Amino acid sequence: MVRERSQTSVLKEHTIESEKFREQRLDQKVYQMLQQKAGKDGDWIELLTSSMLDSDFHPKKISDSGKMYRKYKKKEYETLKKAYGAVWEDVRYFPVASREIFFENSWMAKRSYGGSRFHEGCDLFGKITESGYYPIISMTDGVVEKTGWLPLGGYRIGIRTDTGGYFYYAHLASYEKNFYPGEIVKAGDILGYMGNTGYGPAGTKGKFPVHLHLGIYIPLANKKEVSVNPYWLLKIFTKKTTNYTY
């Protein structure tokens, strides 16, 4: 019992705001192991949550210790599991309809436009540098929450999933159609096209190379949101690219 209590001490009220949680580090091999162990109808997010906790948030193997965490820290565990679900559960596709996309882990890299800040997302670039060339697709089912211009993000669209995740696609050259808040989208739907809009008033473009900025945010209990690193998720879903003729 003492050992169990000690093991669960890693889980705290604000774990979902910690750097280790926000990193979302999950390797392809472990992701596949989670899917296989959970099976077709199993709760793989349950396994993901306990595996993350038992490995200092970078699992090399699967751990099924959710019952122990619920025994001692039920509220904190359920909150953490819900947070992992908001990031991972609804994702079906890679966000660019091409297999010639490259990206690096630029999470928390320094940025200067609009004041000193950190990069809370991942930038994806294509072999073709032409604005408007690559279709950007919804990674998930969800509801359009925000659209239009932001000085930092240019033309952007934000999709809220059923599990609460907010998927933010920025710097679009254009939209596929006139989306409106509350509109339902399906995973694989075209949202718009990769561009280089932003860093100025509405219509500003060309101040940086053509790319997609993807951000993922999850809600907190105080109605604020926290960003998480999309890089590891993107690495896993590069193999789930929707093909379009364009």
Side-chain angles (χ1 to χ4, degrees):
M1 183 179 294
V2 173
R3 182 176 177 275
E4 287 184 348
R5 285 186 175 276
S6 177
Q7 187 174 342
T8 58
S9 65
V10 68
L11 180 54
K12 304 182 186 303
E13 181 181 357
H14 299 293
T15 294
I16 62 174
E17 299 178 55
S18 68
E19 293 293 332
K20 289 182 178 180
F21 168 79
R22 294 176 69 197
E23 177 65 26
Q24 293 289 308
R25 187 165 184 175
L26 183 63
D27 298 330
Q28 175 78 44
K29 181 179 179 180
V30 179
Y31 173 82
Q32 293 173 340
M33 290 166 59
L34 288 165
Q35 298 289 320
Q36 291 168 1
K37 186 172 178 61
K40 184 177 180 180
D41 300 316
D43 189 353
W44 80 274
I45 299 298
E46 169 81 9
L47 292 174
L48 171 63
T49 306
S50 57
S51 297
M52 283 288 190
L53 285 169
D54 289 348
S55 65
D56 199 29
F57 298 89
H58 183 198
K60 298 295 184 180
K61 60 182 181 179
I62 308 303
S63 298
D64 188 6
S65 55
K67 289 182 179 179
M68 178 184 65
Y69 287 100
R70 285 194 177 88
K71 181 179 179 180
Y72 298 106
K73 294 193 173 181
K74 181 177 180 179
K75 180 180 178 181
E76 293 88 345
Y77 184 77
E78 293 294 348
T79 297
L80 185 65
K81 180 185 173 184
K82 183 177 180 181
Y84 275 117
V87 177
W88 291 90
E89 192 165 359
D90 295 308
V91 178
R92 298 292 179 269
Y93 296 111
F94 191 70
V96 188
S98 172
R99 298 190 185 279
E100 52 186 35
I101 303 301
F102 57 95
F103 54 94
E104 297 180 349
N105 190 358
S106 59
W107 176 249
M108 289 295 156
K110 289 185 178 180
R111 294 289 188 267
S112 58
Y113 178 82
S116 180
R117 56 191 175 86
F118 297 97
H119 191 230
E120 297 186 43
C122 190
D123 292 338
L124 298 91
F125 300 83
K127 181 178 178 181
I128 305 299
T129 59
E130 176 185 347
S131 180
Y133 182 79
Y134 292 108
I136 303 304
I137 68 169
S138 181
M139 301 177 74
T140 67
D141 292 348
V143 176
V144 176
E145 189 165 294
K146 294 180 181 178
T147 186
W149 183 266
L150 282 179
L152 282 177
Y155 293 116
R156 73 18 171 135
I157 186 168
I159 308 297
R160 181 73 65 181
T161 70
D162 288 343
T163 52
Y166 182 73
F167 287 71
Y168 169 79
Y169 308 83
H171 304 313
L172 302 180
S174 62
Y175 298 101
E176 173 68 1
K177 51 174 277 189
N178 292 322
F179 290 99
Y180 58 87
E183 183 172 354
I184 295 173
V185 297
K186 295 294 184 181
D189 285 352
I190 299 178
L191 301 175
Y193 297 85
M194 187 185 292
N196 56 359
T197 60
Y199 283 25
T204 301
K205 58 184 179 180
K207 291 197 170 184
F208 43 78
V210 172
H211 70 280
L212 169 70
H213 171 92
L214 175 70
I216 302 177
Y217 299 81
I218 58 171
L220 300 176
N222 57 11
K223 297 186 179 181
K224 293 182 180 180
E225 293 191 313
V226 62
S227 59
V228 298
N229 187 2
Y231 175 76
W232 301 100
L233 185 150
L234 287 168
K235 284 192 71 176
I236 289 171
F237 278 83
T238 52
K239 295 183 178 181
K240 297 185 179 181
T241 302
T242 299
N243 292 318
Y244 289 94
T245 302
Y246 57 95

